[in-house]
Amino acid sequence: MLTFEQVELFQVRLPRVSAYRTSYGDHTWRETVLARVVSNGIEGWGEFSGDGPGFSYETAQTAWHILKDYLIPLLCSTQLETPSMCPALFAGVRGHPFAKATLEAAVWDVAGKQTGTSLHALLQRLYPDQTLRTKAPVGVSIGLQPSIFALEVRLEQLRSFHLPRIKLKVRPGWDDAAIKATRLAYPDTPLSVDGNSAYARGDIDRLVALDDLDLTMIEQPFGPDDLYSHRDLQARLQHTPVCLDESIHSVRTAESALRWHACRVINIKQGRVGGLTQAIELHNLCVEHHIPVYAGGMFETGIGKSLNAALACLPNFNFPGDAVPPEQLYGFDLIQNRLDYSDDGELSAPSGPGLGFTVDLKQIKARTQTSLIIRK
Ligand code: MG
């Protein structure tokens, strides 16, 4: 039984090595919240993976408020048989999936450490009839570039890496020519595009014109609430699956999208759907509907990416995921052990107990702006 004596929150600011541009703007730094949960003297860590307020309404500040005033008091006043009870515990708080996922991740970490079991091994128990792989391919994601020349320079910089997939961020005016330039440079590499909601319904013809460019998928061109336009686009595309990301904020939304035929791929981010338990449920729902999924990323440090790496080993993750090494994003990481990236572009699920990392407390404290301890 899991009981919790205290939770410590850290508000952390992480400057990026270089700016990354999406249709939400330039990402030059990231503010996040780390949760350190203590249960019977064992600590577990979780990372707020949101990147608001463009991607979702949640920000580090909203997560801090929801964690401090609602979720942590709930956690400290109860006992759990398993971490998968977290969604029911947090159900009285509407929305705020990234905040909920932060705390649930820390509970999974504690639960694994208490029995010396890795998250990957805990997940394996949920799929007794299959042997989960221990590593999964990850691709590169290229932000919006100021010119085709700048894109060609960026593509050339990637020559030394094995790339299972390239994903281009696109928006109206930066799609067709950028895709063709990438195709020219990498004719055999699977290529997808991600609109991050930058397109409007009136752009459907423009997106249909991309159908002959052999794209693996067109991800989230329209707004999060616009399942209708995604459905219309999917109906008009002969070859290219539509993938939904921002639209899928719960398992039930996913079911609506699938029954509406609004997509043929779903990007699973555990933070966006309220935590690992919901992400597993979403994965299983997609299996039932014969819809493949891929593992999205949100600029997490090694704390968040360790969890994502285990999740990406579930059987229906059929495309390379997003998991840029934290050192490339920030020049450092918040864990002592490096994530295990292979030369052929695969990221291994950590094999250590819990989420499988040892935090770098010195690095965390050096980046912390505010911290707070909440006791039972
Ligand atoms: Mg996306």
Side-chain angles (χ1 to χ4, degrees):
M1 196 64 80
L2 295 156
T3 57
F4 305 92
E5 52 258 35
Q6 78 171 46
V7 180
E8 188 169 4
L9 294 177
F10 301 80
Q11 190 171 323
V12 176
R13 187 180 170 93
L14 307 169
R16 288 185 60 116
V17 170
S18 57
Y20 182 82
R21 180 172 291 180
T22 70
S23 58
Y24 299 126
D26 284 342
H27 305 251
T28 53
W29 52 272
R30 175 170 168 248
E31 201 162 64
T32 187
V33 176
L34 305 177
R36 176 204 227 172
V37 166
V38 182
S39 170
N40 291 318
I42 295 177
E43 66 175 35
W45 287 79
E47 175 179 358
F48 170 74
S49 60
D51 186 36
F55 185 87
S56 92
Y57 59 85
E58 289 187 82
T59 66
Q61 282 76 20
T62 67
W64 183 274
H65 161 53
I66 293 296
L67 283 161
K68 173 173 78 74
D69 294 323
Y70 297 99
L71 303 180
I72 293 172
L74 281 170
L75 189 72
C76 287
S77 65
T78 192
Q79 52 184 20
L80 300 175
E81 283 177 35
T82 76
S84 58
M85 295 170 75
C86 282
L89 178 65
F90 300 152
V93 176
R94 187 184 300 276
H96 299 280
F98 284 98
K100 292 173 179 174
T102 308
L103 207 49
E104 186 182 323
V107 174
W108 280 96
D109 193 24
V110 162
K113 285 174 178 167
Q114 282 190 346
T115 57
T117 313
S118 70
L119 176 59
H120 185 274
L122 292 173
L123 295 177
Q124 177 64 75
R125 291 176 191 169
L126 303 176
Y127 299 87
D129 300 331
Q130 301 173 67
T131 301
L132 300 186
R133 60 187 168 187
T134 57
K135 53 188 179 178
V138 291
V140 68
S141 182
I142 300 178
L144 299 171
Q145 302 293 313
S147 65
I148 292 295
F149 177 71
L151 173 63
E152 288 168 345
V153 170
R154 179 77 187 109
L155 290 167
E156 209 48 46
Q157 289 169 344
L158 296 170
R159 283 280 173 213
S160 56
F161 297 96
H162 178 84
L163 302 176
R165 178 220 66 193
I166 295 174
K167 180 165 93 175
L168 281 182
K169 295 291 187 180
V170 292
R171 67 180 176 195
W174 181 261
D175 41 30
D176 179 76
I179 293 165
K180 286 174 178 164
T182 307
R183 266 272 164 266
L184 201 60
Y186 289 86
D188 302 320
T189 303
L191 177 61
S192 66
V193 295
D194 184 357
N196 284 122
S197 306
Y199 292 81
R201 183 166 172 78
D203 295 316
I204 282 192
D205 287 345
R206 181 183 192 100
L207 291 160
V208 171
L210 306 179
D211 198 24
D212 291 328
L213 299 180
D214 192 24
L215 295 171
T216 309
M217 64 187 82
I218 298 175
E219 181 171 336
Q220 196 72 47
F222 305 116
D225 297 332
D226 196 358
L227 289 184
Y228 185 62
S229 293
H230 285 105
R231 185 191 69 164
D232 281 359
L233 174 63
Q234 185 64 88
R236 289 186 56 191
L237 293 170
Q238 299 283 320
H239 315 292
T240 317
V242 168
C243 170
L244 289 178
D245 179 358
E246 285 92 325
S247 289
I248 306 300
H249 50 80
S250 69
V251 177
R252 294 282 72 82
T253 336
E255 183 154 25
S256 298
L258 295 175
R259 291 192 183 281
W260 258 41
H261 306 290
C263 65
R264 289 185 193 151
V265 178
I266 285 183
N267 173 337
I268 294 187
K269 293 172 176 167
Q270 57 89 30
R272 201 195 58 227
V273 295
L276 183 60
T277 302
Q278 302 285 336
I280 295 166
E281 195 179 325
L282 172 56
H283 166 274
N284 296 346
L285 176 78
C286 291
V287 172
E288 285 172 27
H289 286 260
H290 308 288
I291 292 291
V293 301
Y294 95 91
M298 292 290 296
F299 309 132
E300 298 93 339
T301 70
I303 294 173
K305 284 202 169 71
S306 294
L307 184 150
N308 295 350
L311 176 63
C313 293
L314 297 192
N316 195 36
F317 282 87
N318 285 342
F319 299 97
D322 292 328
V324 185
E327 295 85 359
Q328 286 182 23
L329 294 173
Y330 305 113
F332 58 87
D333 199 357
L334 300 181
I335 61 175
Q336 293 180 29
N337 52 299
R338 289 283 177 101
L339 295 171
D340 184 6
Y341 288 89
S342 70
D343 290 340
D344 56 355
E346 293 191 306
L347 174 60
S348 294
S351 56
L355 301 188
F357 54 74
T358 304
V359 291
D360 186 338
L361 206 50
K362 200 172 155 189
Q363 189 68 264
I364 290 172
K365 288 190 171 168
R367 310 288 170 180
T368 294
Q369 298 192 307
T370 316
S371 66
L372 173 73
I373 294 177
I374 299 166
R375 293 192 173 84
K376 191 168 188 171

PDB file of all heavy atoms in Angstrom, residues 24 55 141 167 169 193-197 219-220 243-246 267 269 272 294 296-298 322, ligand 1:
ATOM      1  N   TYR A  24       3.544  28.238 -32.330  1.00  0.00           N
ATOM      2  CA  TYR A  24       3.224  28.888 -31.059  1.00  0.00           C
ATOM      3  C   TYR A  24       4.237  29.964 -30.688  1.00  0.00           C
ATOM      4  O   TYR A  24       4.100  30.650 -29.694  1.00  0.00           O
ATOM      5  CB  TYR A  24       3.163  27.859 -29.927  1.00  0.00           C
ATOM      6  CG  TYR A  24       2.108  26.810 -30.139  1.00  0.00           C
ATOM      7  CD1 TYR A  24       2.417  25.456 -30.103  1.00  0.00           C
ATOM      8  CD2 TYR A  24       0.784  27.177 -30.384  1.00  0.00           C
ATOM      9  CE1 TYR A  24       1.444  24.497 -30.310  1.00  0.00           C
ATOM     10  CE2 TYR A  24      -0.191  26.218 -30.590  1.00  0.00           C
ATOM     11  CZ  TYR A  24       0.145  24.883 -30.546  1.00  0.00           C
ATOM     12  OH  TYR A  24      -0.825  23.934 -30.758  1.00  0.00           O
ATOM     13  N   PHE A  55       0.568  25.506 -26.428  1.00  0.00           N
ATOM     14  CA  PHE A  55       0.217  24.111 -26.698  1.00  0.00           C
ATOM     15  C   PHE A  55      -1.062  23.720 -25.953  1.00  0.00           C
ATOM     16  O   PHE A  55      -1.923  23.037 -26.485  1.00  0.00           O
ATOM     17  CB  PHE A  55       1.376  23.195 -26.298  1.00  0.00           C
ATOM     18  CG  PHE A  55       1.138  21.756 -26.646  1.00  0.00           C
ATOM     19  CD1 PHE A  55       1.472  21.270 -27.897  1.00  0.00           C
ATOM     20  CD2 PHE A  55       0.559  20.899 -25.725  1.00  0.00           C
ATOM     21  CE1 PHE A  55       1.227  19.943 -28.232  1.00  0.00           C
ATOM     22  CE2 PHE A  55       0.306  19.576 -26.049  1.00  0.00           C
ATOM     23  CZ  PHE A  55       0.645  19.102 -27.307  1.00  0.00           C
ATOM     24  N   SER A 141      12.965  16.298 -34.987  1.00  0.00           N
ATOM     25  CA  SER A 141      11.903  17.248 -35.303  1.00  0.00           C
ATOM     26  C   SER A 141      12.552  18.591 -35.613  1.00  0.00           C
ATOM     27  O   SER A 141      13.321  19.113 -34.806  1.00  0.00           O
ATOM     28  CB  SER A 141      10.959  17.357 -34.102  1.00  0.00           C
ATOM     29  OG  SER A 141       9.908  18.225 -34.394  1.00  0.00           O
ATOM     30  N   LYS A 167      10.627  14.905 -38.810  1.00  0.00           N
ATOM     31  CA  LYS A 167       9.340  15.610 -38.697  1.00  0.00           C
ATOM     32  C   LYS A 167       9.603  17.097 -38.888  1.00  0.00           C
ATOM     33  O   LYS A 167      10.482  17.658 -38.241  1.00  0.00           O
ATOM     34  CB  LYS A 167       8.707  15.366 -37.327  1.00  0.00           C
ATOM     35  CG  LYS A 167       7.376  16.071 -37.148  1.00  0.00           C
ATOM     36  CD  LYS A 167       6.603  15.549 -35.952  1.00  0.00           C
ATOM     37  CE  LYS A 167       6.867  16.359 -34.715  1.00  0.00           C
ATOM     38  NZ  LYS A 167       6.036  15.933 -33.573  1.00  0.00           N
ATOM     39  N   LYS A 169       8.119  20.934 -38.690  1.00  0.00           N
ATOM     40  CA  LYS A 169       7.047  21.830 -38.259  1.00  0.00           C
ATOM     41  C   LYS A 169       6.641  22.669 -39.469  1.00  0.00           C
ATOM     42  O   LYS A 169       7.518  23.178 -40.199  1.00  0.00           O
ATOM     43  CB  LYS A 169       7.529  22.729 -37.131  1.00  0.00           C
ATOM     44  CG  LYS A 169       7.869  21.980 -35.843  1.00  0.00           C
ATOM     45  CD  LYS A 169       6.629  21.401 -35.178  1.00  0.00           C
ATOM     46  CE  LYS A 169       6.970  20.803 -33.821  1.00  0.00           C
ATOM     47  NZ  LYS A 169       5.797  20.230 -33.138  1.00  0.00           N
ATOM     48  N   VAL A 193       4.845  15.809 -41.154  1.00  0.00           N
ATOM     49  CA  VAL A 193       4.760  17.244 -40.859  1.00  0.00           C
ATOM     50  C   VAL A 193       3.788  17.463 -39.701  1.00  0.00           C
ATOM     51  O   VAL A 193       2.876  16.670 -39.466  1.00  0.00           O
ATOM     52  CB  VAL A 193       4.291  18.062 -42.086  1.00  0.00           C
ATOM     53  CG1 VAL A 193       5.322  17.991 -43.198  1.00  0.00           C
ATOM     54  CG2 VAL A 193       2.927  17.608 -42.586  1.00  0.00           C
ATOM     55  N   ASP A 194       4.026  18.548 -38.973  1.00  0.00           N
ATOM     56  CA  ASP A 194       3.215  18.873 -37.792  1.00  0.00           C
ATOM     57  C   ASP A 194       2.823  20.343 -37.862  1.00  0.00           C
ATOM     58  O   ASP A 194       3.689  21.222 -37.828  1.00  0.00           O
ATOM     59  CB  ASP A 194       4.035  18.597 -36.522  1.00  0.00           C
ATOM     60  CG  ASP A 194       3.227  18.807 -35.240  1.00  0.00           C
ATOM     61  OD1 ASP A 194       2.054  19.212 -35.326  1.00  0.00           O
ATOM     62  OD2 ASP A 194       3.782  18.551 -34.150  1.00  0.00           O
ATOM     63  N   GLY A 195       1.524  20.609 -37.979  1.00  0.00           N
ATOM     64  CA  GLY A 195       1.042  21.982 -38.124  1.00  0.00           C
ATOM     65  C   GLY A 195       0.811  22.706 -36.816  1.00  0.00           C
ATOM     66  O   GLY A 195       0.605  23.925 -36.817  1.00  0.00           O
ATOM     67  N   ASN A 196       0.786  21.990 -35.689  1.00  0.00           N
ATOM     68  CA  ASN A 196       0.532  22.636 -34.388  1.00  0.00           C
ATOM     69  C   ASN A 196      -0.636  23.638 -34.471  1.00  0.00           C
ATOM     70  O   ASN A 196      -0.529  24.780 -34.008  1.00  0.00           O
ATOM     71  CB  ASN A 196       1.791  23.337 -33.852  1.00  0.00           C
ATOM     72  CG  ASN A 196       2.807  22.359 -33.282  1.00  0.00           C
ATOM     73  OD1 ASN A 196       3.949  22.307 -33.738  1.00  0.00           O
ATOM     74  ND2 ASN A 196       2.422  21.570 -32.308  1.00  0.00           N
ATOM     75  N   SER A 197      -1.703  23.210 -35.102  1.00  0.00           N
ATOM     76  CA  SER A 197      -2.959  23.988 -35.130  1.00  0.00           C
ATOM     77  C   SER A 197      -2.866  25.307 -35.905  1.00  0.00           C
ATOM     78  O   SER A 197      -3.693  26.200 -35.712  1.00  0.00           O
ATOM     79  CB  SER A 197      -3.452  24.294 -33.698  1.00  0.00           C
ATOM     80  OG  SER A 197      -3.565  23.122 -32.946  1.00  0.00           O
ATOM     81  N   GLU A 219       0.233  16.000 -39.069  1.00  0.00           N
ATOM     82  CA  GLU A 219      -0.170  16.053 -37.658  1.00  0.00           C
ATOM     83  C   GLU A 219      -0.827  17.389 -37.324  1.00  0.00           C
ATOM     84  O   GLU A 219      -0.290  18.449 -37.628  1.00  0.00           O
ATOM     85  CB  GLU A 219       1.080  15.836 -36.785  1.00  0.00           C
ATOM     86  CG  GLU A 219       0.795  15.843 -35.300  1.00  0.00           C
ATOM     87  CD  GLU A 219       2.011  15.398 -34.480  1.00  0.00           C
ATOM     88  OE1 GLU A 219       2.881  14.674 -35.009  1.00  0.00           O
ATOM     89  OE2 GLU A 219       2.104  15.795 -33.309  1.00  0.00           O
ATOM     90  N   GLN A 220      -1.973  17.286 -36.703  1.00  0.00           N
ATOM     91  CA  GLN A 220      -2.689  18.409 -36.075  1.00  0.00           C
ATOM     92  C   GLN A 220      -2.606  19.721 -36.855  1.00  0.00           C
ATOM     93  O   GLN A 220      -2.137  20.734 -36.334  1.00  0.00           O
ATOM     94  CB  GLN A 220      -2.132  18.640 -34.661  1.00  0.00           C
ATOM     95  CG  GLN A 220      -3.032  19.510 -33.774  1.00  0.00           C
ATOM     96  CD  GLN A 220      -4.299  18.823 -33.310  1.00  0.00           C
ATOM     97  OE1 GLN A 220      -4.273  17.693 -32.857  1.00  0.00           O
ATOM     98  NE2 GLN A 220      -5.426  19.507 -33.418  1.00  0.00           N
ATOM     99  N   CYS A 243      -2.835  12.768 -38.171  1.00  0.00           N
ATOM    100  CA  CYS A 243      -2.480  12.397 -36.787  1.00  0.00           C
ATOM    101  C   CYS A 243      -2.997  13.499 -35.871  1.00  0.00           C
ATOM    102  O   CYS A 243      -2.867  14.683 -36.179  1.00  0.00           O
ATOM    103  CB  CYS A 243      -0.962  12.281 -36.654  1.00  0.00           C
ATOM    104  SG  CYS A 243      -0.382  12.120 -34.937  1.00  0.00           S
ATOM    105  N   LEU A 244      -3.591  13.114 -34.753  1.00  0.00           N
ATOM    106  CA  LEU A 244      -4.048  14.121 -33.785  1.00  0.00           C
ATOM    107  C   LEU A 244      -3.140  14.139 -32.562  1.00  0.00           C
ATOM    108  O   LEU A 244      -2.742  13.093 -32.047  1.00  0.00           O
ATOM    109  CB  LEU A 244      -5.493  13.836 -33.370  1.00  0.00           C
ATOM    110  CG  LEU A 244      -6.544  14.113 -34.449  1.00  0.00           C
ATOM    111  CD1 LEU A 244      -7.935  13.755 -33.947  1.00  0.00           C
ATOM    112  CD2 LEU A 244      -6.505  15.572 -34.908  1.00  0.00           C
ATOM    113  N   ASP A 245      -2.828  15.363 -32.124  1.00  0.00           N
ATOM    114  CA  ASP A 245      -1.994  15.575 -30.946  1.00  0.00           C
ATOM    115  C   ASP A 245      -2.767  16.455 -29.960  1.00  0.00           C
ATOM    116  O   ASP A 245      -3.438  15.946 -29.045  1.00  0.00           O
ATOM    117  CB  ASP A 245      -0.668  16.226 -31.403  1.00  0.00           C
ATOM    118  CG  ASP A 245       0.296  16.521 -30.277  1.00  0.00           C
ATOM    119  OD1 ASP A 245      -0.052  16.271 -29.109  1.00  0.00           O
ATOM    120  OD2 ASP A 245       1.413  17.013 -30.543  1.00  0.00           O
ATOM    121  N   GLU A 246      -2.761  17.778 -30.184  1.00  0.00           N
ATOM    122  CA  GLU A 246      -3.391  18.707 -29.246  1.00  0.00           C
ATOM    123  C   GLU A 246      -4.876  18.389 -28.995  1.00  0.00           C
ATOM    124  O   GLU A 246      -5.393  18.664 -27.907  1.00  0.00           O
ATOM    125  CB  GLU A 246      -3.264  20.152 -29.755  1.00  0.00           C
ATOM    126  CG  GLU A 246      -1.879  20.769 -29.610  1.00  0.00           C
ATOM    127  CD  GLU A 246      -1.002  20.564 -30.849  1.00  0.00           C
ATOM    128  OE1 GLU A 246      -1.104  19.495 -31.498  1.00  0.00           O
ATOM    129  OE2 GLU A 246      -0.198  21.469 -31.162  1.00  0.00           O
ATOM    130  N   ASN A 267      -0.912  10.728 -31.658  1.00  0.00           N
ATOM    131  CA  ASN A 267       0.323  11.028 -30.947  1.00  0.00           C
ATOM    132  C   ASN A 267       0.003  10.922 -29.452  1.00  0.00           C
ATOM    133  O   ASN A 267      -0.870  11.641 -28.955  1.00  0.00           O
ATOM    134  CB  ASN A 267       0.767  12.452 -31.340  1.00  0.00           C
ATOM    135  CG  ASN A 267       1.949  12.961 -30.534  1.00  0.00           C
ATOM    136  OD1 ASN A 267       2.213  12.502 -29.433  1.00  0.00           O
ATOM    137  ND2 ASN A 267       2.642  13.946 -31.071  1.00  0.00           N
ATOM    138  N   LYS A 269       1.019  11.567 -25.741  1.00  0.00           N
ATOM    139  CA  LYS A 269       1.864  12.239 -24.750  1.00  0.00           C
ATOM    140  C   LYS A 269       1.182  12.022 -23.408  1.00  0.00           C
ATOM    141  O   LYS A 269       0.038  12.468 -23.228  1.00  0.00           O
ATOM    142  CB  LYS A 269       1.969  13.728 -25.054  1.00  0.00           C
ATOM    143  CG  LYS A 269       2.717  14.042 -26.339  1.00  0.00           C
ATOM    144  CD  LYS A 269       2.642  15.505 -26.703  1.00  0.00           C
ATOM    145  CE  LYS A 269       3.486  15.771 -27.950  1.00  0.00           C
ATOM    146  NZ  LYS A 269       3.201  17.108 -28.524  1.00  0.00           N
ATOM    147  N   ARG A 272      -0.362  15.067 -21.709  1.00  0.00           N
ATOM    148  CA  ARG A 272      -1.524  15.683 -22.338  1.00  0.00           C
ATOM    149  C   ARG A 272      -2.833  14.969 -21.987  1.00  0.00           C
ATOM    150  O   ARG A 272      -3.915  15.548 -22.072  1.00  0.00           O
ATOM    151  CB  ARG A 272      -1.308  15.684 -23.858  1.00  0.00           C
ATOM    152  CG  ARG A 272      -2.116  16.680 -24.648  1.00  0.00           C
ATOM    153  CD  ARG A 272      -2.062  16.312 -26.119  1.00  0.00           C
ATOM    154  NE  ARG A 272      -2.558  14.978 -26.323  1.00  0.00           N
ATOM    155  CZ  ARG A 272      -1.958  14.026 -27.074  1.00  0.00           C
ATOM    156  NH1 ARG A 272      -0.866  14.281 -27.730  1.00  0.00           N
ATOM    157  NH2 ARG A 272      -2.478  12.813 -27.172  1.00  0.00           N
ATOM    158  N   TYR A 294       2.089   7.021 -31.982  1.00  0.00           N
ATOM    159  CA  TYR A 294       3.517   7.306 -31.813  1.00  0.00           C
ATOM    160  C   TYR A 294       3.736   8.137 -30.562  1.00  0.00           C
ATOM    161  O   TYR A 294       2.819   8.775 -30.047  1.00  0.00           O
ATOM    162  CB  TYR A 294       4.123   7.896 -33.082  1.00  0.00           C
ATOM    163  CG  TYR A 294       4.217   9.388 -33.195  1.00  0.00           C
ATOM    164  CD1 TYR A 294       5.357  10.065 -32.773  1.00  0.00           C
ATOM    165  CD2 TYR A 294       3.191  10.124 -33.753  1.00  0.00           C
ATOM    166  CE1 TYR A 294       5.450  11.440 -32.900  1.00  0.00           C
ATOM    167  CE2 TYR A 294       3.284  11.489 -33.901  1.00  0.00           C
ATOM    168  CZ  TYR A 294       4.413  12.153 -33.464  1.00  0.00           C
ATOM    169  OH  TYR A 294       4.503  13.502 -33.588  1.00  0.00           O
ATOM    170  N   GLY A 296       4.949  11.081 -28.588  1.00  0.00           N
ATOM    171  CA  GLY A 296       5.344  12.471 -28.726  1.00  0.00           C
ATOM    172  C   GLY A 296       6.251  12.908 -27.592  1.00  0.00           C
ATOM    173  O   GLY A 296       6.410  12.214 -26.590  1.00  0.00           O
ATOM    174  N   GLY A 297       6.855  14.075 -27.776  1.00  0.00           N
ATOM    175  CA  GLY A 297       7.736  14.619 -26.741  1.00  0.00           C
ATOM    176  C   GLY A 297       7.404  16.072 -26.502  1.00  0.00           C
ATOM    177  O   GLY A 297       6.786  16.744 -27.331  1.00  0.00           O
ATOM    178  N   MET A 298       7.809  16.565 -25.330  1.00  0.00           N
ATOM    179  CA  MET A 298       7.490  17.938 -24.925  1.00  0.00           C
ATOM    180  C   MET A 298       8.717  18.646 -24.339  1.00  0.00           C
ATOM    181  O   MET A 298       8.585  19.365 -23.363  1.00  0.00           O
ATOM    182  CB  MET A 298       6.367  17.921 -23.886  1.00  0.00           C
ATOM    183  CG  MET A 298       5.013  17.485 -24.386  1.00  0.00           C
ATOM    184  SD  MET A 298       4.236  18.678 -25.490  1.00  0.00           S
ATOM    185  CE  MET A 298       4.009  20.082 -24.427  1.00  0.00           C
ATOM    186  N   ASP A 322       9.323  11.091 -30.609  1.00  0.00           N
ATOM    187  CA  ASP A 322      10.077  12.339 -30.413  1.00  0.00           C
ATOM    188  C   ASP A 322      10.780  12.260 -29.064  1.00  0.00           C
ATOM    189  O   ASP A 322      10.114  12.133 -28.036  1.00  0.00           O
ATOM    190  CB  ASP A 322       9.128  13.547 -30.352  1.00  0.00           C
ATOM    191  CG  ASP A 322       8.464  13.836 -31.679  1.00  0.00           C
ATOM    192  OD1 ASP A 322       9.090  13.588 -32.708  1.00  0.00           O
ATOM    193  OD2 ASP A 322       7.322  14.330 -31.656  1.00  0.00           O
TER     194      ASP A 322
HETATM  195 MG    MG B   1       2.548  17.680 -32.398  1.00  0.00          MG
END
